[in-house]
Amino acid sequence: MHLTRTDVVDAAVSLLDDYGLADLSMRRLATSLAVAPGALYWHVANKQALLGAVADRILLRAVARPATAEHWDARLVEIAESLRDALLSHRDGAEVVAASLAARQVGVPIRERLAEPVRASGLDDADVAPAAQAVLHFVLGATTDEQSRMQLDSVGALPESDRPAALDTDAATGFAVGLTLFVDGIRHRVRTLER
């Protein structure tokens, strides 16, 4: 079998979905591909590079959908919701992307994608990158929390009093409210600077 980098990343994504990040090891990946673990290192330098490639695959889904809204605020919401959807499409997706971003292993320009509508808001140039980064951190944090609760709920590990009646609806509503607060904050900052 001629192994390619795409084969390695495809298998890693499949293992992530089946077993989660904690059980995605180079040894398990090699076994699933029926190769020796050393064969993987022709395609990825180490596990962190592998996770970066998996993160890029997840993020490609978020950036593939063009933002169609006319106004900056609706575009920012659209991009953030697309990112959330992409993260939720894979088990532990938010955790993989957050760790890979922190390790500087991500090639997909997700920060720049979020910065475009923030820049269009009229925010000071010096504040664009930090504002986009704050929105990115909100999406990653909210989605990590949502995925953790979903996994805990699926194995019955959440206490009854903490188990939402409609987990997805409650998380989506909370996400929408939080995102609205970011948009309102950017809008307020722009108005303050215009005075």
Side-chain angles (χ1 to χ4, degrees), residues 109-125:
I110 193 63
R111 287 181 180 95
E112 294 81 357
R113 180 78 189 261
L114 289 163
E116 181 278 320
V118 173
R119 186 172 292 106
S121 73
L123 196 62
D124 233 18
D125 282 346

Side-chain angles (χ1 to χ4, degrees), residues 6-184:
T6 300
D7 296 329
V8 171
V9 176
D10 287 346
V13 170
S14 180
L15 288 173
L16 178 69
D17 289 340
D18 291 345
Y19 301 103
L21 180 57
D23 291 323
L24 174 57
S25 68
M26 296 299 270
R27 184 173 304 283
R28 176 171 265 169
L29 179 58
T31 300
S32 77
L33 291 166
V35 298
L40 298 175
Y41 296 103
W42 286 98
H43 306 285
V44 291
N46 51 42
K47 185 174 179 183
Q48 196 59 53
L50 172 69
L51 292 178
V54 170
D56 279 341
R57 176 75 59 85
I58 292 168
L59 290 170
L60 281 174
R61 178 177 172 169
V63 299
R65 291 193 324 215
T68 58
E70 183 178 341
H71 296 286
W72 74 266
D73 49 357
R75 274 198 319 278
L76 181 59
V77 168
E78 205 176 335
I79 294 166
E81 288 175 345
S82 179
L83 175 56
R84 176 180 175 263
D85 290 346
L87 298 171
L88 289 174
S89 70
H90 296 283
R91 183 174 177 178
D92 296 329
E95 188 177 349
V96 169
V97 170
S100 296
L101 283 166
R104 308 285 193 264
Q105 293 291 318
V106 173
V108 174
I110 193 63
R111 287 181 180 95
E112 294 81 357
R113 180 78 189 261
L114 289 163
E116 181 278 320
V118 173
R119 186 172 292 106
S121 73
L123 196 62
D124 233 18
D125 282 346
D127 292 336
V128 169
Q133 184 80 355
V135 173
L136 176 61
H137 287 168
F138 167 71
V139 175
L140 290 169
T143 310
T144 298
D145 181 69
E146 183 176 359
Q147 286 184 316
S148 296
R149 288 184 171 278
M150 289 167 57
Q151 289 173 20
L152 290 169
D153 191 52
S154 72
V155 296
L158 281 180
E160 283 299 322
S161 63
D162 291 342
R163 184 171 300 161
L167 194 60
D168 294 351
T169 303
D170 290 348
T173 300
F175 181 82
V177 169
L179 199 50
T180 298
L181 292 172
F182 274 95
V183 169
D184 288 349

